[in-house]
Amino acid sequence: MKRTSVLLLCALTTFGAFAQKSVVDEVDNILDKMSPDYKSAAEKIVPALTNEETKADAKTWYLGGKANVGIYDQELVKLQLGQAADSVLMSNALLKGYEYLKAALPLDTVKQVDKKGNYKLNKDGSIKVKTKYSKDIVSMLVAHHNDFSIAGNLMYNKGNYKEAGQLWGVYVNLPYSGIEDRDKFAAPDTVLAEMAFFEGVALWQAEELKDAIDAFAMARKLGYQKKEAYDYALSCMANMQDTIGIVELAKEAYKVYGKEDSQYIKLIINDNINHNQYDEAQSLIASAIADNPSSADLYNLMGFIYEQKKDDENALINYRKATEFDPNYAPAQFNAGACIVRKAAALQEKINKLTGAEYQSARENELIPLYKEALPYIEKAYELDPTDSSAKRVLSNLYYQLGDEAKLNALEGR
């Protein structure tokens, strides 16, 4: 029984391999007709793409690619004639055809033999090889280069953003893939660069963020230096929490758009702060202020750096400048007030050692003026952002210290 089972298994395996080879030959015959049935050929070849005996054969992938590209061509003719065409079918077929043809290329090597059946050798001793399908594959891809752009547009308009991005990606990268000389592709780098950007946008919409970042990088490499090529990539990196990538790209963007948009230098500065590199951050902020002398945000950042360096005097100077340039910038209003409150707290600790008239005099002449100085900043900060619990807490304490019971009750809702 065991012997019979093994023999039967071997027979079935051999038959399966033979059947798949027959399928490949059948598909070859279909595609060789005057009017090929491309859809039938594309369906029939699928099992052969995974069969152990046929999946390593360039012919299998070549025929699969040829069939799918044929489907695209047929549907495109319908589209051009104003007839009903399946834009999703044709676009997916072109993309699948490209993947199959790309898989065929590295498999398309035939070792050459002489009349005696021995391998022919190159001068370096390696075996001479020749290709059978590569020339046709390359010609097919070059001829359809612009079609990847067309198909990408069709898929994008259908809302199939991932597929649109993939098709545009083929359009962008094919001229640089090495399958043919760059000059065989008519599209100039400027067009490819813009398409790489659109590829990135499509992949961003499909939430394929890593691929989108690569596409935006390709766009910039090819010369697409518009600000959006940086900003979209930064958005993708932020969603991926790629802090290293964000800083590197911010440095790149700052060289081009630093004077126009301070967000890039702020990202770099924040990285310095996160790594306690306060001197470097301070130097960058000073440079940024030179380019944007009325930026409340930058002065607020400078104040923060001084604060980290335990220099509240200079911190307050910069916070105040920030409020002067933008009175409605809540963080600077709060920071200025909080800076004064800290000064008051230090003074309070000092005068607590006093007694009697000395204490009372110090409180009235030194401490209370500080609370009054801080009050308008904190009131403004709370007015601008009533959800800020820190501002509310500090404001409550100021009203208490100043003995303003009415405002304290109103603030606390009593």
Side-chain angles (χ1 to χ4, degrees):
M1 286 297 291
K2 288 183 180 180
R3 178 179 175 80
T4 303
S5 299
V6 170
L7 290 173
L8 178 60
L9 178 61
C10 291
L12 290 173
T13 302
T14 303
F15 175 76
F18 177 77
Q20 292 307 318
K21 289 181 179 178
S22 297
V23 166
V24 173
D25 291 337
E26 183 183 355
V27 171
D28 194 6
N29 290 330
I30 293 173
L31 295 176
D32 198 39
K33 293 180 179 179
M34 288 292 294
S35 298
D37 186 348
Y38 291 114
K39 290 183 181 178
S40 174
E43 291 172 0
K44 285 181 179 294
I45 200 67
V46 172
L49 298 172
T50 55
N51 181 268
E52 290 298 326
E53 296 296 322
T54 52
K55 71 178 184 180
D57 188 348
K59 182 179 180 179
T60 308
W61 296 96
Y62 165 68
L63 294 176
K66 188 176 179 180
N68 277 280
V69 171
I71 293 173
Y72 171 83
D73 288 339
Q74 283 186 334
E75 293 298 314
L76 180 63
V77 170
K78 293 179 185 178
L79 200 64
Q80 292 171 334
L81 294 175
Q83 300 173 358
D86 190 332
S87 60
V88 174
L89 170 67
M90 64 187 285
S91 301
N92 280 329
L94 182 63
L95 188 59
K96 189 179 294 183
Y98 166 74
E99 294 295 339
Y100 289 173
L101 293 174
K102 186 174 69 170
L105 281 173
L107 299 174
D108 187 30
T109 55
V110 179
K111 296 178 180 179
Q112 297 186 51
V113 295
D114 58 24
K115 293 179 180 180
K116 295 181 179 180
N118 298 318
Y119 289 127
K120 294 181 179 180
L121 301 178
N122 294 307
K123 290 182 179 180
D124 62 1
S126 60
I127 298 173
K128 285 187 176 182
V129 296
K130 64 179 180 179
T131 59
K132 188 174 183 179
Y133 307 104
S134 295
K135 185 176 180 180
D136 191 27
I137 291 172
V138 171
S139 297
M140 200 182 311
L141 290 175
V142 172
H144 284 82
H145 178 233
N146 195 56
D147 291 289
F148 290 101
S149 173
I150 294 171
N153 290 338
L154 293 173
M155 293 298 265
Y156 189 86
N157 291 335
K158 287 285 187 180
N160 296 351
Y161 300 122
K162 180 178 180 179
E163 292 80 2
Q166 290 173 330
L167 285 158
W168 285 336
V170 176
Y171 176 77
V172 171
N173 291 288
L174 200 55
Y176 308 100
S177 64
I179 68 163
E180 187 57 284
D181 293 338
R182 171 68 182 90
D183 59 11
K184 294 296 190 297
F185 299 88
D189 282 358
T190 52
V191 172
L192 296 173
E194 185 173 41
M195 187 58 74
F197 171 74
F198 291 133
E199 174 197 351
V201 171
L203 293 170
W204 167 71
Q205 289 177 284
E207 297 184 0
E208 299 289 333
L209 301 182
K210 185 179 183 303
D211 291 338
I213 290 169
D214 291 341
F216 291 129
M218 185 64 167
R220 297 192 304 275
K221 179 181 178 181
L222 293 175
Y224 192 88
Q225 291 292 313
K226 291 185 179 180
K227 188 172 179 295
E228 58 194 0
Y230 296 97
D231 292 345
Y232 270 105
L234 284 170
S235 175
C236 292
M237 290 175 178
N239 286 332
M240 292 181 67
Q241 298 182 337
D242 181 4
T243 54
I244 295 175
I246 287 172
V247 174
E248 290 305 310
L249 185 55
K251 290 177 180 177
E252 183 183 334
Y254 178 67
K255 295 176 183 177
V256 186
Y257 292 104
K259 292 185 179 181
E260 179 181 327
D261 192 339
S262 62
Q263 71 158 318
Y264 307 119
I265 199 165
K266 289 174 187 174
L267 290 170
I268 303 169
I269 291 167
N270 284 337
D271 182 64
N272 289 144
I273 293 171
N274 290 337
H275 291 88
N276 298 323
Q277 297 169 336
Y278 299 124
D279 289 339
E280 291 88 338
Q282 199 167 22
S283 178
L284 283 171
I285 296 170
S287 176
I289 288 175
D291 292 331
N292 302 275
S294 59
S295 172
D297 197 7
L298 289 173
Y299 278 109
N300 186 61
L301 268 176
M302 184 66 90
F304 176 79
I305 296 298
Y306 276 115
E307 190 177 320
Q308 300 309 302
K309 296 174 80 170
K310 309 301 181 183
D311 185 349
D312 273 0
E313 182 178 348
N314 279 307
L316 182 57
I317 290 172
N318 282 276
Y319 288 144
R320 278 177 166 154
K321 283 184 180 179
T323 64
E324 290 167 6
F325 284 119
D326 186 358
N328 293 320
Y329 187 50
Q333 293 286 357
F334 177 80
N335 288 336
C339 205
I340 300 169
V341 168
R342 280 198 304 275
K343 185 177 180 180
L347 180 61
Q348 178 73 70
E349 187 176 348
K350 181 180 177 181
I351 68 173
N352 281 343
K353 298 175 183 179
L354 304 176
T355 58
E358 284 186 332
Y359 172 83
Q360 195 62 36
S361 175
R363 175 176 170 77
E364 292 296 327
N365 297 314
E366 298 179 53
L367 190 59
I368 294 300
L370 287 176
Y371 288 138
K372 289 181 178 179
E373 184 183 356
L375 183 61
Y377 290 112
I378 302 300
E379 283 183 327
K380 185 65 175 180
Y382 184 66
E383 175 191 330
L384 292 169
D385 185 7
T387 65
D388 187 345
S389 59
S390 295
K392 183 177 180 180
R393 175 176 51 78
V394 175
L395 185 57
S396 176
N397 180 58
L398 286 173
Y399 286 148
Y400 173 79
Q401 295 292 344
L402 294 171
D404 196 332
E405 187 175 352
K407 287 187 176 181
L408 179 59
N409 289 336
L411 180 66
E412 299 297 339
R414 294 198 290 260

